[in-house]
Amino acid sequence: MEASDYERLQKNEILKDCLPSLVNNFNAQGTLEIQYDKPAVNVHMGNELLPSDTQTLPVITYHASKPLDLEATYTIIMTDPDVPSRLDNSEGEVCHYVATGFKFDSVKGGVLSGQGVARRPYIGPAPAKNTALHRYVFMLLKEPKGKTEFTEIKSIFCWGYGEAGTGIDRWSKENDLEVLAINFFLAENEENDK
């Protein structure tokens, strides 16, 4: 991860709001490339996208900065900490996607498509009208060796914990997951008053 990418995570308070346990000690181990296909739109550390362009599961590629453990399995998630809005996250974080059990064929990483177990199917962004920009955060996490059981996500709201602002940080700790990479985009309701 480039220094400018880390600065974008800090400026947009991604670590503070999604991974408070890592706010001072997150060290990315590679980059996460996210590409939506209709139209071809790439996610890049806080760029703005239209919700209508992000309604289908994107192609997700991981580029490792150090050799991956090919015996390990990995989890990919997408979360929105801004529900109903960034100023009032009383219903957030919202879990938009969780899939576990991904493996890589190369120590350099690769595409995460077509494999893994969907624990929560992909839900495209749907920010409410006049709630300003929402942050949609993707993370790649390394699973402990042999892990096949994960904490059930009983609701998309607050990841089923029933506490505002609760989500991936708690879920990743409960499941002993290590965050390897983060990428995110911003989106707002396309009918917002301008």
Side-chain angles (χ1 to χ4, degrees):
M1 172 178 280
E2 298 175 14
S4 61
D5 289 342
Y6 184 77
E7 289 167 7
R8 287 186 186 117
L9 289 176
Q10 294 291 43
K11 177 184 172 196
N12 287 278
E13 299 181 318
I14 300 299
L15 297 173
K16 175 186 161 288
D17 292 343
C18 296
L19 294 167
S21 64
L22 297 179
V23 75
N24 293 318
N25 60 355
F26 175 66
N27 184 19
Q29 298 180 32
T31 58
L32 206 51
E33 180 183 319
I34 314 291
Q35 184 175 20
Y36 288 96
D37 63 352
K38 293 183 181 176
V41 175
N42 290 321
V43 172
H44 185 68
M45 300 306 283
N47 58 329
E48 287 187 38
L49 301 178
L50 296 172
S52 59
D53 291 341
T54 59
Q55 293 304 302
T56 58
L57 182 64
V59 174
I60 303 169
T61 305
Y62 179 60
H63 303 280
S65 57
K66 61 183 186 179
L68 285 169
D69 176 357
L70 296 180
E71 297 300 314
T73 52
Y74 300 85
T75 294
I76 190 80
I77 68 95
M78 185 174 106
T79 192
D80 173 4
D82 303 323
V83 177
S85 71
R86 190 162 178 182
L87 296 176
D88 171 16
N89 72 340
S90 59
E91 297 173 32
E93 281 175 45
V94 168
C95 177
H96 278 262
Y97 181 59
V98 175
T100 62
F102 288 100
K103 291 187 79 104
F104 290 101
D105 294 328
S106 168
V107 295
K108 295 179 180 181
V111 176
L112 291 164
S113 301
Q115 53 176 322
V117 176
R119 306 284 173 173
R120 274 284 170 182
Y122 183 82
I123 302 169
K129 189 172 180 182
N130 297 324
T131 59
L133 290 167
H134 287 234
R135 298 165 293 169
Y136 294 92
V137 184
F138 285 91
M139 296 181 201
L140 178 71
L141 306 100
K142 184 177 179 183
E143 301 168 2
K145 288 203 185 298
K147 184 150 186 86
T148 58
E149 298 295 320
F150 295 84
T151 305
E152 181 183 359
I153 303 165
K154 295 179 181 174
S155 168
I156 62 169
F157 296 101
C158 305
W159 284 59
Y161 293 112
E163 298 171 33
T166 304
I168 186 56
D169 196 51
R170 182 168 170 183
W171 193 81
S172 66
K173 284 182 199 172
E174 285 182 358
N175 292 286
D176 297 318
L177 303 173
E178 176 188 3
V179 181
L180 300 183
I182 303 171
N183 200 344
F184 71 102
F185 67 94
L186 307 173
E188 65 182 326
N189 188 294
E190 293 172 59
E191 296 178 7
N192 276 356
D193 298 334
K194 299 288 181 185

